[in-house]
Amino acid sequence: MHDLATTAMHQSHCDVRARVVTAKTLILGQTLTFADDPFKVPVAEAAIHEPRGGVLIEDGLIAAVGPADDLQHAHPDAIVTDMGSRLLTAGFVDSHAHYPQTAIIASWGKRLVDWLNTYTFPEEARFSDADYARETAERYLDLTLMNGTTTVCSFCTIHPESVEAFFVEARKRGLRAMAGKTCMDQNAPEDLRDTVQSSHDDSKRLLERWHGVDRLGYAITPRFSPTSTPEQLEALGALWAEHPECVMQTHLSEQTDEVEWALSLHPEARDYLETYEMHGLVGEGALFGHAIHLTERERARIAETGASVVHCPTSNTFIGSGLFDLTGLAACGMRIALATDTGGGSSFSMLRTMAAAYEIAQLRGAALHPAQLYWLATAGSARAMRLDGKIGTLAPGLEADLIALDLASTAAIAQRASRAEDFWETLFPTIMMGDDRAVAQVWVAGRTTR
Ligand code: GUN
Ligand code: ZN
């Protein structure tokens, strides 16, 4: 352990040196930034579009954002990258994903529990092999970056090797990222079960080794109440109390039969949320994936504790889970994030994920504004992960994770965008029909990735 920790520290210094970019870089294009939450204030106050703007980057951080002419005038020494009419925004933040499910994305015909048993668990069992974990982490992070996602919060598997692989690969790419060992001590195949003691000790060791190394953060990760005994939830709650600087991620109320199952296994709880709450697993920094079938008490408790719910729209339709009540939950004042839920979700793209969120809201009678969708995929997810102040929009002092979007990346999108009468109408076809082809460039901590 000592050697590994020393190596991690040594690499940390090297990587920081390597990342220092001494020259100032000025990237020009259209810019979209957020000053506030468009679910709380009018879009015109929350979102700022600059038709000819710029982002000044220095030492991996954003030094200034504003009209292109002003920035060029104030910083004549900056090296200019002109992205033309492309749209510069913060990189996407995917706040709930399972990188080990990369190879089983789009697996046919099952609902949640069957899908876990048929596809997910056999695949996750392969992650005891460190080489397989590394190859998958590489592929997953390459795919997410290609799609403009610069931060993810990922579940790993029960194997510490899977966590090592993820953090090593995220770090190589200079990413801000979070992940954690998925803990399960019941209702999983034997080779995917840990124990109360081993789940606590492995999580603690990985947390101490990785949390705060470069841009990485640890997420304490009980998979969900059906696969954890009360004793395991208690041990992980105690670990979170010792390390409140970490986030805690899990699943909540995804399918109705899963809710019944969770309650039958934890009869002491009044509702699904309470299976976590009884063990200290609800509070600020808790990320509850799905949260579709919530009771009134659960809604109120999530809102008042400052916990977050993570909307996973492509997963919720793909696995047949239900229609998330986005506008209802936002009206309760709840913190809401957006995520792919790869590979229960059917896409690596946060554009496709925004489109699915729009469609689900339509089925519930609400039309989400493109600014609200974009905010969820960037600043909203960053806030849920307690990373606002570091990433999530373009503003001085934030880390320079950004993307340039081509708003006419396919013939179908281009012909619709050409009819647009304002900026939002130009952006919306890319939200609804765009994919990795729309992502023209990605910067991680101020450095291009391609
Ligand atoms: N609930 C428990 N585990 C999982 C998972 O891996 N994916 C989804 N979508 N739901 C879950
Ligand atoms: Zn999930």
Side-chain angles (χ1 to χ4, degrees):
M1 261 349 289
H2 175 74
D3 281 345
L4 287 176
T6 312
T7 311
M9 228 178 309
H10 173 71
Q11 284 170 359
S12 164
H13 291 147
C14 295
D15 287 359
V16 168
R17 257 206 317 271
R19 266 214 311 278
V20 170
V21 181
T22 44
K24 285 193 233 175
T25 309
L26 178 58
I27 307 168
L28 304 178
Q30 304 188 57
T31 55
L32 173 61
T33 59
F34 288 95
D36 212 331
D37 174 349
F39 288 93
K40 292 210 173 116
V41 304
V43 166
E45 274 172 47
I48 303 149
H49 170 245
E50 186 70 57
R52 184 66 182 158
V55 183
L56 184 74
I57 299 175
E58 212 171 345
D59 294 341
L61 297 178
I62 297 172
V65 181
D69 287 348
D70 296 358
L71 289 172
Q72 275 189 294
H73 192 253
H75 303 279
D77 53 332
I79 297 166
V80 174
T81 302
D82 193 341
M83 299 304 293
S85 63
R86 294 191 175 105
L87 178 68
L88 305 173
T89 77
F92 297 128
V93 181
D94 184 350
S95 47
H96 181 120
H98 299 253
Y99 96 83
Q101 297 170 14
T102 298
I104 55 132
I105 193 168
S107 290
W108 184 85
K110 304 285 180 190
R111 289 171 60 85
L112 179 59
V113 178
D114 266 0
W115 174 83
L116 286 170
N117 287 320
T118 309
Y119 298 117
T120 309
F121 289 158
E123 178 63 13
E124 291 194 8
R126 300 180 69 173
F127 285 71
S128 58
D129 175 349
D131 287 339
Y132 188 70
R134 180 181 42 75
E135 278 164 29
T136 309
E138 284 178 340
R139 189 155 15 99
Y140 170 76
L141 290 171
D142 290 347
L143 283 163
T144 50
L145 271 173
M146 190 188 295
N147 277 285
T149 299
T150 47
T151 288
V152 300
C153 188
S154 184
F155 287 63
C156 299
T157 66
I158 67 146
H159 313 97
E161 294 86 343
S162 72
V163 184
E164 287 292 323
F166 178 86
F167 280 136
V168 165
E169 292 307 319
R171 187 158 177 244
K172 273 190 198 161
R173 289 158 179 76
L175 294 168
R176 182 161 284 290
M178 289 183 180
K181 174 195 133 70
T182 296
C183 300
M184 299 196 274
D185 69 342
Q186 65 175 3
N187 294 318
E190 201 175 338
D191 57 350
L192 278 185
R193 255 182 276 149
D194 49 22
T195 65
V196 174
Q197 194 67 47
S198 72
S199 63
H200 172 274
D201 295 354
D202 284 347
S203 300
K204 183 174 165 69
R205 189 171 45 79
L206 289 161
L207 183 164
E208 286 170 353
R209 175 160 153 63
W210 285 107
H211 188 77
V213 172
D214 290 351
R215 305 180 72 202
L216 306 176
Y218 194 80
I220 294 168
T221 309
R223 183 179 213 115
F224 65 157
S225 293
T227 50
S228 287
T229 58
E231 292 74 21
Q232 180 169 72
L233 296 175
E234 186 68 22
L236 295 175
L239 182 62
W240 198 26
E242 271 175 49
H243 292 281
E245 70 279 13
C246 293
V247 303
M248 189 291 303
Q249 59 177 350
T250 189
H251 298 87
L252 176 69
S253 295
E254 183 174 359
Q255 298 204 338
T256 48
D257 46 0
E258 171 224 2
V259 177
E260 279 171 33
W261 190 32
L263 290 179
S264 72
L265 291 162
H266 298 268
E268 62 288 358
R270 278 174 295 177
D271 50 42
Y272 198 158
L273 185 73
E274 205 170 47
T275 66
Y276 298 121
E277 203 173 353
M278 294 171 77
H279 303 294
L281 291 167
V282 177
E284 229 187 270
L287 297 159
F288 292 106
H290 303 281
I292 302 169
H293 309 285
L294 298 179
T295 65
E296 281 310 313
R297 193 201 82 86
E298 289 174 306
R299 287 172 175 241
R301 277 304 283 158
I302 294 169
E304 76 195 18
T305 58
S308 298
V309 293
V310 186
H311 184 20
C312 304
T314 71
S315 171
N316 295 345
T317 50
F318 183 75
I319 313 186
S321 302
L323 305 179
F324 181 81
D325 182 14
L326 182 49
T327 49
L329 298 184
C332 295
M334 210 178 278
R335 293 176 188 213
I336 304 177
L338 188 67
T340 60
D341 191 30
T342 302
S346 54
S347 175
F348 295 94
S349 167
M350 289 298 283
L351 290 170
R352 172 73 198 104
T353 304
M354 284 184 247
Y358 179 82
E359 289 161 352
I360 289 175
Q362 281 283 58
L363 287 169
R364 295 194 65 115
L368 296 175
H369 192 281
Q372 294 177 316
L373 294 165
Y374 217 95
W375 182 86
L376 286 170
T378 52
S381 283
R383 185 185 63 172
M385 290 168 70
R386 293 192 296 193
L387 291 175
D388 44 331
K390 289 196 163 62
I391 57 165
T393 189
L394 304 178
L398 298 197
E399 296 165 355
D401 290 348
L402 55 148
I403 58 176
L405 283 186
D406 178 354
L407 300 182
S409 60
T410 66
I413 295 172
Q415 62 86 37
R416 177 62 187 90
S418 71
R419 292 275 200 94
E421 292 185 359
D422 65 17
F423 166 66
W424 298 113
E425 220 188 319
T426 311
L427 175 59
F428 194 54
T430 289
I431 290 178
M432 292 309 300
M433 297 191 281
D435 54 27
D436 55 306
R437 289 169 291 180
V439 180
Q441 185 55 280
V442 180
W443 290 263
V444 171
R447 289 160 63 111
T448 54
T449 60
R450 50 177 87 159

